[in-house]
Amino acid sequence: MRLLFVHNHYGVRSGEEIMLERIVSLLRQNGHEVNTHFAYSADIQSPGQKVQAALSGVWSQTARRALRDQIAAHRPDLVQVQNLFPLISPAILPVIRDAGVPIVMRLSNYRLICPNGLFLSRGSVCEKCRGGREYHCVVNNCEGSLFKSASYALRNWSARVMGLYRKSISRYYAQTAFQRDVLIGEGYPAQRIDVIPNMIETKSDAAAWSRGSYVGFVGRLSPEKGVDDLIAAAARLPDIPFRLAGSPGRFANDGAIPRNVRLMGHLDAEALTRFYRDAAMIVVPSTWYEGFPSVIIEAMRNSKPVIASAIGGLPEIVQAGRTGLTPAPGDHHALSRAIHQLWRSPQTRQRMGEAGARRVRSAYTPARYYNRLMATYEAALEYA
């Protein structure tokens, strides 16, 4: 199959782009010809370029011409699109559709509904833009810049009013059923939205369960990641060591770190592998609608139980009582109880960790991902 992938890279490499690289590599390994059309937000530097990017996010004639030429030259059987903002824009979708090529869209976030894609404003869950009310992005100044907030709202509003997604996309695929249900609630066709969870390599030398010596956290140290709740929980459990690995951020308790909490900073790949293996459990105390955090399946691959907030799609990934626990989000009392419950029972941690490792091998392998993706592609070709 000849495929064309379209994506606007973010200013900083993201988990979404890591998955994009894995998908392209997987397809090529299975004999498919994959071409790409990429744009790079890191190229946007000057004020003039930022203004131009805001305009191109609504309608990029340059991207339309480039896609038309690329399709004519390579004649793909199918196009997969991901992020189109700000340099490509949804204006390319009718060009692809008019060329008779079906489009599959991978839904890495909630951008079809929420201008910033996160359902997150000022550190808290926000769904005010649902139902075609993008103006709330400006009213709330969700991006901390009225210019950015207005441009984000404008591009979402224009794409919705012109029906660029609904009229052009043959098939969508979400990462979780929660994400799929959100789109269905906004009127997107349920029969054309599949769920394809993320994948991870299952190494033959994957670590067997080990007792571990600390409670681990991996991710950005920011409020929506639940870092404040985790630190508050740690303060209630002074005899349990906590280790937080991730890029520095700003959170309410960053000036009052308990003595049993150690901030590890950013870890390279080798150090991060050791971090997972030496942890007793991994905690994902998020208070927002995560997409599909790779930290969860990475922990499961390393036979570690996971404590994740019962919010968004997280309870679909962490099976409560089987591969981990799912306390209420934003409740550091419930979080500390869950941590204490697992810490005092190595037998439970072993049972849950081994169940998680089995689940990774059955549900989240590249082979499983490939089969699901091929089913989505075939459905898109039939729809077209």
Side-chain angles (χ1 to χ4, degrees), residues 326-339:
T326 55
D331 185 343
H332 67 267
H333 297 283
L335 180 60
S336 64
R337 288 195 295 270
I339 292 169

Side-chain angles (χ1 to χ4, degrees), residues 136-382:
H136 279 291
C137 186
V138 184
V139 174
N140 292 348
N141 192 14
C142 294
E143 291 302 300
S145 158
L146 284 175
F147 175 76
K148 284 184 68 175
S149 296
S151 64
Y152 281 27
L154 177 61
R155 68 196 192 189
N156 262 52
W157 173 82
S158 61
R160 178 178 58 81
V161 169
M162 288 187 282
L164 295 178
Y165 297 118
R166 297 174 192 264
K167 294 176 182 177
S168 301
I169 305 296
S170 304
R171 202 89 187 170
Y172 310 80
Y173 72 92
Q175 299 174 92
T176 64
F178 172 82
Q179 189 180 33
R180 179 179 184 268
D181 291 343
V182 167
L183 263 76
I184 293 171
E186 291 296 303
Y188 282 88
Q191 69 276 14
R192 300 207 327 262
I193 308 174
D194 299 316
V195 175
I196 305 181
N198 284 355
M199 61 178 156
I200 192 168
E201 288 285 350
T202 50
K203 301 175 183 177
S204 57
D205 61 344
W209 179 82
S210 60
R211 187 184 185 97
S213 58
Y214 53 80
V215 175
F217 168 91
V218 179
R220 185 173 63 255
L221 303 184
S222 56
E224 74 278 3
K225 291 289 187 178
V227 174
D228 292 309
D229 295 319
L230 182 57
I231 290 175
R236 294 172 57 85
L237 302 167
D239 296 328
I240 299 176
F242 288 70
R243 301 288 182 268
L244 281 60
S247 302
R250 299 182 64 183
F251 48 97
N253 290 330
D254 62 355
I257 306 298
R259 295 181 63 181
N260 59 324
V261 175
R262 182 178 172 189
L263 304 183
M264 309 294 292
H266 175 77
L267 302 180
D268 62 26
E270 183 177 347
L272 192 57
T273 296
R274 291 197 300 271
F275 184 88
Y276 280 110
R277 293 184 177 182
D278 293 342
M281 67 192 80
I282 296 294
V283 182
V284 184
S286 297
T287 58
W288 70 295
Y289 301 151
E290 295 267 11
F292 194 106
S294 60
V295 59
I296 295 179
I297 52 177
E298 184 67 57
M300 291 163 64
R301 179 173 70 175
N302 282 280
S303 300
K304 301 301 179 180
V306 180
I307 296 176
S309 301
I311 188 171
L314 299 187
E316 299 174 44
I317 313 169
V318 178
Q319 298 171 304
R322 179 171 171 77
T323 64
L325 300 174
T326 55
D331 185 343
H332 67 267
H333 297 283
L335 180 60
S336 64
R337 288 195 295 270
I339 292 169
H340 186 253
Q341 177 183 340
L342 290 190
W343 183 263
R344 69 184 181 185
S345 177
Q347 296 86 355
T348 302
R349 297 205 305 272
Q350 181 174 4
R351 172 176 59 81
M352 290 181 171
E354 291 176 347
R358 289 193 298 272
R359 181 162 172 77
V360 164
R361 291 192 296 269
S362 65
Y364 303 126
T365 64
R368 187 70 183 275
Y369 193 97
Y370 178 76
N371 290 337
R372 288 165 166 157
L373 186 58
M374 284 300 102
T376 292
Y377 283 179
E378 288 165 10
L381 291 167
E382 291 176 5

